Amino acid sequence: MRVPLSWLREYVDLPAGETGRDVAARLVRAGLEVETVEQLGGDLKGPLVVGEVLSIEELSGFKKPIRHCFVNVGDANGTGEPQEIVCGATNFQVGDKVVVVLPGAVLPGPFPIAARQTYGHTSAGMICSARELGMGDDHNGILVLESHLEPGTDAIELLQLVDEVLDIAVTPDRGYCLSMRGVAREAAAAYGLPLADPALLDVPPANAFGYPVKVADPAGCDRFVARTVTGVDPAAKSPIWLQRRLQKSGIRPVSLTVDITNYVMLEVGQPLHAYDRGRVQGTILVRRAEEGETLTTLDGIKRKLSAEDLLICDDSGPIGLAGVMGGATTEIIDPVLDPETGEVTGSTEVVIEAAHFDPISVARTAKRHKLPSEASKRFERGVDPEAARAAAQRAVDLLVLIAAGTAEAGVTDIAAPRPMRTIAIGADLPDRVAGTEYGRETVTRRLQEIGCSVVGADVLEVTPPSWRPDLTDPYDLAEEVIRLEGYDNVPARMPNVPPGRGLTEAQRFHRRVGIALAGAGYVEINAYPFIGEAAFDGLGLEKDDERRRTVKLVNPLNDEEPALRTTLLPGLLGALRRNVGRGNTDLALFETGTVFLPKAELTVAPRLSVERRPTEQELAELNAALPDQPRRVAVALAGERQPSGWWGKGVPSGWADAVEAARTVARAANLELTVRQAQRAPWHPGRCAELLVDGRVVGHAGELHPRVVKALHLPERTSAMEIDLDLLLADGVRKVSGPAVSAYPVATQDVALIVGSEVPAAEVEAALREGAGALLESIRLFDVFTGEQAGEGKKSLAYSLRFRAADRTLTADEASAARESAVAAAAERTGAVLRGA
Amino acid sequence: MSAPNKSYDPVEVEALKPEVVEQARDEAFAAFAAAADLDALKQAKVAHTGDRSPLALANREIGALPPHAKAAAGKLIGQARGAVNQALARRQTELEAERDARVLVEEAVDVTLPYDRAPRGARHPLTTMAERIEDTFVAMGYEVASGPEVEAEWLNFDALNLHPDHPARSMQDTFFVQAPDGSADSGVVLRTQTSPVQIRTMLDRQPPLYAVSPGRVYRTDELDATHTPVFRQVEGLAVDEGITFADLKGTIEVLVEKLIGGHLELRWRPSYFPFTEPSAEVDLQCFVCRGESVGNPDRPCRTCSSEGWIELGGCGVVNPRVLVAAGVDPNRYSGFAFGLGLERILMNRHNVADMRDMVEGDVRFTLPFGMEI
Ligand SMILES: [Zn+2]
C-alpha cells in the first residue's frame, strides 16, 4: 500500500513539521512495515508554471519534427512577454494549457534548465512531459492541462509534484490497512490524534427501486449495495488531484469512472465495480458457477469456471468473478473522441457495485485462475462490510461532481444478518501475555482506540469494529493493547529454565565428525539437495538401482532436477568440479546432510484437526507419509593429498584416503570399521571398499570408476566415500574400558608371509591376530610387494608383531611360540606361507 | 715386572721415583693440551692413561714393593693418575663444547621455510554459526531439537495456525512433494520454516520445554546475491508456566549480546505470524553505520541499505491455538518462539557480501573460517 503523506494529512492533522520518515518510524513501531519512504520532487526547483500556447511554427529540414513556439506564462518570467521555446513533441496545439519550466529551474534528475540556442532559435525553457516532471513513466508526450487554468500559475503546487510516499507491506491480518482510512486510523492512534473517517458519510436508506439484485448464495456474499448514476458525461476527465493521488498510489489513471472506483477503493478499502447499465441484462444475480461455465474477464481471457467460483451474473449469464475481476461484456466503455464531430462517446449510465464476499471463496478463485487483483487482495484479507454503503455513496458523489451525472434515488442494499461478535477478555490478559502491568483503564482505552466497544470490569466484553475481522479471540485483543503500548515498553526478563541435558550423544557425534574431517584436511560444503536423472546416469547407476527411486517435487526450480537426492555424491562432486574449474586443484571436500529415501509403501499425509492433539495413530500415519531421511557424510578427493615441496615429493590422493576418511568418521564414535572388497557404482570395480560396523554395511569408499570420472568431467583418480551416520551410530558411541598398560618390556617379532594375491590383507591380519593370542599387543603391516620374489599370483605381506605380558618379561621362547601360533593360524585360514620357508 | 723382594728399596725402582712420576704426569698434561680435536685427545688418552702408559706401568711396580713401601708409592701414583684423569676430562669437555658449537652452526636451517605439507581443512561457517547459537542456548539449559526437512503439511502449516486458505500460506513459496498419484495432494512439502520442529517438540512431551533447532528450510526463490532456495534458520521455543513476551525480549537480548556483542540497539516491531500472538520482528542496529546513513545521501550504507537496521528474525508469544493442536494446555502453559535466519547473521557478523559464496562450496571462501566461528 502506497500512502502519499499529503493525502494522509487529510484524515489526520499531523504536526506540520513531521516528515515522511518521522511518520514511518511511528507506524513501524505500531506494526506497519514501512518498506520505503519515497521523496517525490525532492530535487525539483521552480519556476515551473502553467503556460498557454500562443503560436506554433513547424520547423522543417530536421530529422524529426521540431516546433518553435511562443507561450504565455503570465508574469512568471518577470516580463509578461511571451516565452520563446523550441519543442520536439507534437501532441499539443495552440490554445492548450501546458507546463512550462523556465530558465533557472531544476527538473528531477537533477536536470538544470537554462536558455540556449537550438535549431536556429532561442529556447528559453521547456514545455514538459509527465515523465520529465516525475509524474510517471507512461507518458512520453507533453502534459496538456485543463483549459480553465490561469497562465503563470505555479505548477509545482498545482500538480502536487513535491510529496512523500510511504510504501507499506501490509501483513495478512491487517487488511484494513490496504486503505487510506485504515492507515490513517493507525497514524491517529500512534499520534494520539483524532481521525476524520472518510467512510462517515450521509447515505440514503435502502429502498425497493434500486437496481434489481438477487443473492442466491448469502454465505458467499453477505452484502451487496448497488447504486446507479445516469447522465454521466463521457468527455469528463479525471481532475488533476485525482489522477495525481492515483499515480502516487501506484495506479495508472484510465478513465474517469474507473479512476473513481479505484480512488474510492484506496480511500476506504472497499473494492468497487462499475457496470455500464446499458450492457447489463436484467437482474444482477450472485451465485456459484456451474461446472463448465465460461467467462471472458476484463483482461480478455476466456476462463473455464469451477463450481466453487462465486459469480456475478445477469440474464445473459456470468458477467464477473465476484471480488476478483469483472467480465468484458458489461464493462465501462472507454471514452472515444470522434475527430470529425469532436464528440466523445462512452458509457453514460453506470451501476456501482459495492459488495462483501467471503474471503476464502475469493482467495480460492483468485488462486485457481491465477488472478491476484487489487480487489481480491483486499477481500482475502477482510474488507469492512459496513463500509460498502459509504463507498458506493462516495463513488456516486464523485461521478455527480466531476462527470455531471445524476444519482438515481434507488438504493439497493442486500445484507445477510451478521452475528455480533463479542469477545470476553480478562482485563489482566494483556498483562499476563506481556509480563508487565498495563491496568484495566489502559486496556480499555487502547481497545476503544482501534474501534472496539468495551464494557465490563474484571472481564471485559469487547465488540470489535466491522473492519477488524482478524480480531476473534482474547489473545488478538491482548496483542492490540501490547502493540499500541509499544514493544519497547515491555521489560526484558529471563525465564527460569530448568537444568538441561546438554547435547545428545548423536549431536555430539555429528560435531566430532565435522571436526575430525576438517582436522584431517577436508573442507565442508553444503550442496542443494535437488537432483535429476542425469546425475544418476553420470554416476553410472543401473536402471534398477535403488538410488534412482526418489522423492519428487511438484514445482521444482529447475525441471532438470525435479527430485531430492538419495546420495550426497552428486552435489559433492559438483562442488569438486566447480572448484577445479576455478583453479583449486588439490581438493578434499566433505558434506554432512540428509538424503531422502521414499518408503517402500507410499501414502498420503492426512490433514488432521487442529482443534486437539492428534492421536498416536494419526501421528504415525503422518510420519508414514514422509520419506526416510537418514543423515549421511561423504567426502571427495582429487589432486594431491600432500603437495610436493622442498621436503620432497607429494602424495596423490586416492582410494586409501577415501577409506581412511571413513575410519576417521567411525573413530569419532570409537567404533572399529572393517573393510571388504566390493563392487558398486560409481566406484572403480577393483578399488571399491564396503564399509562395515558390527557386520552392518554402513557405506562405501574408493576410487571412482574411470567412466564416471569422464562423464562428470572430474580430475583423474577422483576418490569418494559415503557413509550413513544413523546406521553407523545405531548402537551408540562405543564405551571404552580403560586398557591395563603393562610396564614390562616388549618383544617384537617380524613375519613375512606369501599369500595368493586375491587374499585380502584384512583376513591375513585377522588370522594372525587370533593365532597370536592374548600376548599380542599390536600388529602392523609394514610392507607389501608383488613380483618375482613373491611368485606368480602371489603377494608378500610383512608384519611386525609386538608381544607383551601384563605380569612378567616375556622370554624369547614365549614370544617365538606366539609368533609361530600366529603364522600357523594364517597358514590354515589364508594359505599363507612364511617367506623363505 | 720385577719379582717381590722383601729387601727391595723402592727408591731403587726407576719408574717409581717421584721425579719420573712427575715427568710422566706433566707429559700427559702437555699431550692433552696439545690435542686439537677429540680424535687427537683419544690418542693422547690411550698413550697417557692406557694399559701401556708410563703411569699404568709404574702402578704395576707397586705390587712388587715390600709392604712398608707400598702405601707411599701407591699414594704417589694415585695422585698423579687422578690429576691426569682430571686434565683429560677437562680437555674432553672443552673439545666437545668446541665441536658442538661448530656442528650446531653447521646444522642451522631456515625456519621461515613454508610447510604446507599437511592439508588444511575447515568447517562451513553456517555449521559453526549454528553450533555457536546452540551452545549459547544449551548453556541456558535449552535442548537442541531437530525435525525432518521433508515435512507433513499439517506440521509445517496447519498446526501452526496456517489453515489451507490462510493468506500467509501463499506468501511462502512452498516446494510441494508429489503424491503417489503424481498430484500435489501428498500432504507433504519441503519445510518452509523450522517451526514444525516446535510442534514435534511439544508432541513429544509435556512442558517445561526449552529447545532450539537449527536446520535447512526451503522456499522457491532463485539463487542470487541475497536469496537462496535452501537456507538455514534457528528456531527457538520455550513453553512453561508463566512465559511472557518479557521473557522473549530478555532471551533475544542475551542471544544478541553473546553473538554480536551488547553494544548495539535492538528494535522491536509488531508484526504478524499466524503461530505467534503478539508477533514481533527484531531488528539490530546496523553495526556498520549505526544508523547514521539514514536520510543522509552523502553517507550511504550498503550493509543496511541506509535504513539503519538489519532484520534479525521474527518471534512472538506462541498462539494458544498452536498449543492446542500440539496437545499443550493453553490455560496452564504459555510459550514464546523465535526464528532467526542464519545466512543473514553470518553475512552481517562476517561481512559476507554475496549469498552465493555460502552455497557454491568454493574452498577459498570456507577455509579462512577454520574450525570455529
Ligand atoms: Zn548501515
Side-chain angles (χ1 to χ4, degrees):
Chain A
M1 177 77 194
R2 289 171 56 86
V3 176
L5 192 60
S6 60
W7 194 358
L8 185 65
R9 286 179 182 276
E10 196 172 306
Y11 313 116
V12 189
D13 190 14
L14 298 170
E18 210 69 352
T19 66
R21 285 202 173 279
D22 299 335
V23 177
R26 293 270 192 133
L27 291 178
V28 163
R29 296 210 178 244
L32 290 184
E33 199 176 320
V34 183
E35 293 194 315
T36 57
V37 179
E38 204 177 307
Q39 308 289 326
L40 299 184
D43 43 15
L44 185 67
K45 193 173 147 261
L48 195 70
V49 298
V50 174
E52 181 184 8
V53 181
L54 299 174
S55 69
I56 300 173
E57 178 198 352
E58 307 279 354
L59 302 180
S60 53
F62 301 104
K63 279 183 191 153
K64 52 177 189 167
I66 297 295
R67 290 176 154 194
H68 177 225
C69 311
F70 282 93
V71 184
N72 171 16
V73 293
D75 291 330
N77 54 5
T79 65
E81 294 295 315
Q83 196 79 4
E84 181 184 11
I85 296 174
V86 175
C87 181
T90 58
N91 67 318
F92 61 96
Q93 43 197 309
V94 171
D96 275 353
K97 300 285 167 57
V98 293
V99 179
V100 176
V101 57
L102 297 173
V106 181
L107 286 183
F111 181 37
I113 304 298
R116 63 197 176 106
Q117 288 297 315
T118 179
Y119 298 105
H121 294 275
T122 299
S123 187
M126 240 170 77
I127 303 176
C128 299
S129 69
R131 184 200 297 242
E132 284 156 348
L133 294 172
M135 286 171 57
D137 286 348
D138 51 330
H139 244 282
N140 259 326
I142 293 304
L143 180 67
V144 177
L145 302 173
E146 288 158 48
S147 54
H148 62 81
L149 294 167
E150 196 61 38
T153 309
D154 178 19
I156 295 179
E157 174 68 31
L158 177 75
L159 299 174
Q160 297 184 16
L161 294 176
V162 179
D163 203 347
E164 294 185 90
V165 179
L166 280 58
D167 196 352
I168 302 175
V170 177
T171 52
D173 60 327
R174 295 195 188 282
Y176 67 101
C177 284
L178 289 169
S179 68
M180 292 304 301
R181 182 194 186 206
V183 174
R185 189 180 305 280
E186 287 295 329
Y191 281 89
L193 292 168
L195 169 75
D197 186 347
L200 278 181
L201 293 179
D202 281 337
V203 181
N207 53 46
F209 39 94
Y211 196 92
V213 175
K214 224 181 110 192
V215 176
D217 190 332
C221 172
D222 58 10
R223 192 84 190 242
F224 200 112
V225 173
R227 298 290 299 274
T228 309
V229 180
T230 57
V232 171
D233 175 8
K237 287 186 182 151
S238 299
I240 287 171
W241 64 265
L242 198 160
Q243 291 198 31
R244 289 298 291 142
R245 284 189 171 177
L246 289 179
Q247 281 172 342
K248 290 176 191 175
S249 303
I251 292 183
R252 195 166 55 89
V254 184
S255 66
L256 177 62
T257 308
V258 174
D259 290 352
I260 286 174
T261 57
N262 282 332
Y263 180 80
V264 174
M265 176 181 72
L266 292 175
E267 189 178 52
V268 297
Q270 166 73 54
L272 299 179
H273 190 71
Y275 301 92
D276 183 325
R277 185 165 81 170
R279 305 177 76 191
V280 182
Q281 299 172 26
T283 300
I284 289 177
L285 171 67
V286 185
R287 64 161 170 88
R288 296 285 165 184
E290 282 154 28
E291 202 68 55
E293 268 187 297
T294 59
L295 167 67
T296 304
T297 39
L298 276 177
D299 51 11
I301 296 172
K302 186 172 176 182
R303 298 174 187 275
K304 253 183 88 178
L305 304 175
S306 143
E308 280 193 8
D309 290 330
L310 190 67
L311 299 180
I312 313 294
C313 305
D314 68 359
D315 292 352
S316 72
I319 57 170
L321 275 175
V324 178
M325 191 176 268
T329 57
T330 56
E331 71 175 308
I332 296 294
I333 297 168
D334 280 344
V336 177
L337 173 77
D338 185 333
E340 300 286 307
T341 63
E343 240 175 82
V344 178
T345 54
S347 300
T348 57
E349 300 193 342
V350 176
V351 176
I352 299 286
E353 163 204 306
H356 186 256
F357 302 110
D358 173 43
I360 291 178
S361 172
V362 171
R364 288 186 182 168
T365 293
K367 200 167 159 187
R368 187 177 303 121
H369 297 288
K370 298 192 175 62
L371 253 183
S373 64
E374 290 292 326
S376 71
K377 196 165 85 183
R378 287 173 172 78
F379 281 121
E380 279 173 34
R381 288 162 172 76
V383 163
D384 180 3
E386 299 302 327
R389 296 166 72 233
Q393 183 64 46
R394 182 79 168 118
V396 168
D397 289 349
L398 288 169
L399 278 170
V400 169
L401 182 77
I402 301 166
T406 306
E408 281 203 349
V411 176
T412 304
D413 184 356
I414 298 172
R418 174 174 296 278
M420 278 282 276
R421 285 183 300 136
T422 302
I423 303 164
I425 170 178
D428 65 340
L429 184 68
D431 297 8
R432 285 190 284 124
V433 172
T436 187
E437 263 185 50
Y438 297 118
R440 190 204 310 158
E441 269 174 40
T442 304
V443 170
T444 303
R445 178 171 54 81
R446 286 300 190 184
L447 290 176
Q448 284 167 340
E449 244 172 45
I450 59 165
C452 295
S453 80
V454 185
V455 292
D458 288 346
V459 174
L460 306 174
E461 296 288 329
V462 179
T463 308
S466 54
W467 58 85
R468 292 299 302 269
D470 60 305
L471 302 179
T472 60
D473 69 33
Y475 291 90
D476 297 329
L477 299 176
E479 175 180 44
E480 291 297 303
V481 173
I482 299 166
R483 161 176 89 84
L484 292 169
E485 281 294 298
Y487 284 1
D488 289 340
N489 296 321
V490 176
R493 194 175 67 198
M494 284 298 279
N496 236 329
V497 187
R501 65 174 180 205
L503 296 177
T504 63
E505 181 178 83
Q507 287 160 352
R508 288 200 309 271
F509 167 62
H510 292 151
R511 287 191 178 191
R512 283 195 305 275
V513 166
I515 292 167
L517 286 174
Y522 289 84
V523 178
E524 187 175 18
I525 65 129
N526 291 307
Y528 287 166
F530 308 119
I531 200 169
E533 284 298 314
F536 297 133
D537 295 342
L539 292 181
L541 304 192
E542 296 289 343
K543 284 291 165 234
D544 59 351
D545 191 295
E546 82 282 359
R547 284 167 286 181
R548 285 188 186 267
R549 208 168 153 258
T550 54
V551 173
K552 288 181 187 64
L553 300 176
V554 175
N555 53 336
L557 275 186
N558 171 357
D559 289 336
E560 303 296 308
E561 296 183 326
L564 298 180
R565 65 187 178 194
T566 53
T567 157
L568 300 181
L569 293 179
L572 195 58
L573 295 173
L576 187 88
R577 188 175 50 238
R578 186 174 303 123
N579 271 289
V580 171
R582 293 178 179 182
N584 312 321
T585 47
D586 300 330
L587 290 160
L589 305 179
F590 81 102
E591 175 170 18
T592 57
T594 44
V595 294
F596 306 88
L597 311 175
K599 291 240 164 66
E601 196 182 323
L602 298 175
T603 58
V604 164
R607 178 144 296 142
L608 307 175
S609 162
V610 293
E611 306 298 331
R612 57 164 176 81
R613 183 189 196 280
T615 63
E616 293 306 322
Q617 164 82 26
E618 287 171 326
L619 284 176
E621 281 175 35
L622 214 59
N623 286 322
L626 303 180
D628 290 328
Q629 298 171 56
R631 194 178 175 87
R632 298 243 178 111
V633 63
V635 308
L637 302 110
E640 287 188 317
R641 181 77 171 119
Q642 276 186 21
S644 334
W646 55 263
W647 53 81
K649 268 189 77 67
V651 182
S653 67
W655 63 270
D657 294 300
V659 176
E660 182 57 18
R663 290 202 179 90
T664 302
V665 170
R667 273 196 294 270
N670 291 331
L671 293 172
E672 200 57 51
L673 194 79
T674 52
V675 168
R676 218 158 51 190
Q677 200 83 25
Q679 295 200 351
R680 179 178 168 89
W683 283 279
H684 185 306
R687 298 184 172 188
C688 174
E690 192 169 58
L691 310 167
L692 301 99
V693 167
D694 290 338
R696 298 190 298 276
V697 176
V698 296
H700 292 82
E703 185 183 310
L704 293 184
H705 197 294
R707 268 206 311 271
V708 173
V709 167
K710 195 164 169 232
L712 298 180
H713 307 288
L714 297 170
E716 275 182 25
R717 306 278 175 204
T718 296
S719 302
M721 175 281 280
E722 182 170 24
I723 202 166
D724 189 312
L725 293 173
D726 291 354
L727 268 178
L728 186 77
L729 205 67
D731 295 331
V733 172
R734 189 173 64 88
K735 197 173 148 199
V736 175
S737 34
V741 175
S742 165
Y744 288 94
V746 68
T748 304
Q749 300 256 341
D750 289 352
V751 293
L753 300 173
I754 304 288
V755 294
S757 54
E758 76 293 345
V759 176
E763 274 178 35
V764 178
E765 182 181 316
L768 287 171
R769 209 176 263 286
E770 203 174 301
L775 292 177
L776 183 73
E777 184 179 77
S778 68
I779 181 167
R780 184 164 187 277
L781 176 71
F782 66 85
D783 195 21
V784 181
F785 72 84
T786 53
E788 232 172 90
Q789 276 184 294
E792 176 84 19
K794 303 277 185 193
K795 65 184 168 191
S796 164
L797 304 172
Y799 290 92
S800 176
L801 285 66
R802 287 159 61 90
F803 297 100
R804 195 177 335 232
D807 54 355
R808 62 186 191 282
T809 300
L810 287 182
T811 65
D813 286 350
E814 280 177 304
S816 297
R819 167 184 183 267
E820 272 156 34
S821 162
V823 171
E828 192 197 323
R829 302 232 314 244
T830 68
V833 177
L834 258 185
R835 190 143 66 92
Chain B
M1 188 192 303
S2 315
N5 181 345
K6 286 188 175 155
S7 60
Y8 191 80
D9 181 356
V11 181
E12 297 305 313
V13 180
E14 180 69 17
L16 289 174
K17 283 184 183 159
E19 58 274 22
V20 176
V21 169
E22 270 168 37
Q23 191 192 339
R25 184 195 66 192
D26 292 345
E27 279 171 7
F29 286 172
F32 294 161
D37 57 28
L38 287 165
D39 286 341
L41 186 64
K42 203 169 171 185
Q43 281 173 24
K45 180 183 169 184
V46 172
H48 295 281
T49 66
D51 287 348
R52 311 292 308 160
S53 64
L55 287 174
L57 295 175
N59 197 43
R60 287 188 207 163
E61 300 292 347
I62 295 173
L65 294 181
H68 67 272
K70 276 186 178 170
K75 192 177 171 193
L76 180 69
I77 296 294
Q79 279 176 346
R81 292 183 87 182
V84 167
N85 281 335
Q86 268 184 30
L88 173 66
R90 232 180 359 254
R91 186 62 183 153
Q92 178 83 24
T93 306
E94 271 171 32
L95 288 174
E96 276 177 3
E98 270 174 37
R99 179 209 55 190
D100 284 356
R102 192 179 63 249
V103 168
L104 293 186
V105 165
E106 283 167 4
E107 281 179 3
V109 294
D110 177 0
V111 296
T112 70
L113 284 176
Y115 197 65
D116 54 353
R117 192 168 183 178
R120 230 160 28 102
R123 308 178 73 207
H124 199 280
L126 286 172
T127 309
T128 44
M129 180 61 81
E131 288 179 3
R132 192 176 185 92
I133 295 174
E134 284 173 6
D135 289 346
T136 305
F137 281 99
V138 166
M140 293 184 212
Y142 282 58
E143 294 174 3
V144 178
S146 62
E149 292 173 21
V150 175
E151 182 59 287
E153 271 190 73
W154 188 82
L155 283 149
N156 191 69
F157 290 128
D158 302 57
L160 290 161
N161 195 31
L162 279 138
H163 59 76
D165 293 300
H166 201 291
R169 204 150 155 167
S170 58
M171 293 195 320
Q172 302 185 327
D173 313 300
T174 311
F175 285 110
F176 290 90
V177 166
Q178 270 185 22
D181 63 2
S183 75
D185 304 322
S186 60
V188 177
V189 296
L190 299 195
R191 66 177 179 190
T192 57
Q193 46 194 355
T194 39
S195 308
V197 184
Q198 282 181 31
I199 307 294
R200 287 190 176 273
T201 305
M202 289 188 271
L203 288 171
D204 221 32
R205 57 191 172 80
Q206 283 295 307
L209 295 170
Y210 291 87
V212 281
S213 173
R216 298 217 288 189
V217 299
Y218 300 83
R219 307 259 173 101
T220 55
D221 290 322
E222 296 282 349
L223 175 65
D224 64 26
T226 52
H227 295 88
T228 159
V230 184
F231 56 102
R232 291 176 185 226
Q233 285 186 337
V234 177
E235 188 80 11
L237 174 71
V239 182
D240 205 341
E241 288 177 359
I243 291 286
T244 65
F245 195 80
D247 295 306
L248 169 64
K249 279 189 77 173
T251 303
I252 296 285
E253 281 180 12
V254 167
L255 173 69
V256 169
E257 190 187 322
K258 302 281 179 216
L259 210 58
I260 296 161
H263 53 289
L264 292 169
E265 249 184 81
L266 287 179
R267 180 172 75 166
W268 293 77
R269 285 186 288 126
S271 186
Y272 170 75
F273 307 108
F275 33 94
T276 50
E277 187 162 47
S279 303
E281 297 256 15
V282 189
D283 299 335
L284 178 70
Q285 193 180 39
C286 176
F287 60 89
V288 174
C289 70
R290 301 202 171 205
E292 280 170 29
S293 66
V294 180
N296 187 355
D298 303 332
R299 258 204 67 183
C301 176
R302 241 176 28 142
T303 306
C304 65
S305 312
S306 299
E307 291 186 5
W309 299 97
I310 293 159
E311 265 183 57
L312 263 190
C315 56
V317 174
V318 179
N319 192 317
R321 289 170 212 221
V322 174
L323 298 180
V324 168
V328 171
D329 178 4
N331 295 315
R332 180 171 172 200
Y333 296 109
S334 56
F336 67 69
F338 59 84
L340 311 173
L342 267 185
E343 279 81 0
R344 177 165 287 150
I345 293 176
L346 184 69
M347 287 176 100
N348 289 325
R349 192 171 180 263
H350 295 271
N351 300 319
V352 178
D354 197 317
M355 188 77 88
R356 283 169 287 211
D357 290 337
M358 291 186 250
V359 168
E360 289 175 339
D362 193 314
V363 295
R364 293 168 301 169
F365 172 77
T366 306
L367 268 172
F369 288 99
M371 309 290 277
E372 270 276 349
I373 197 161

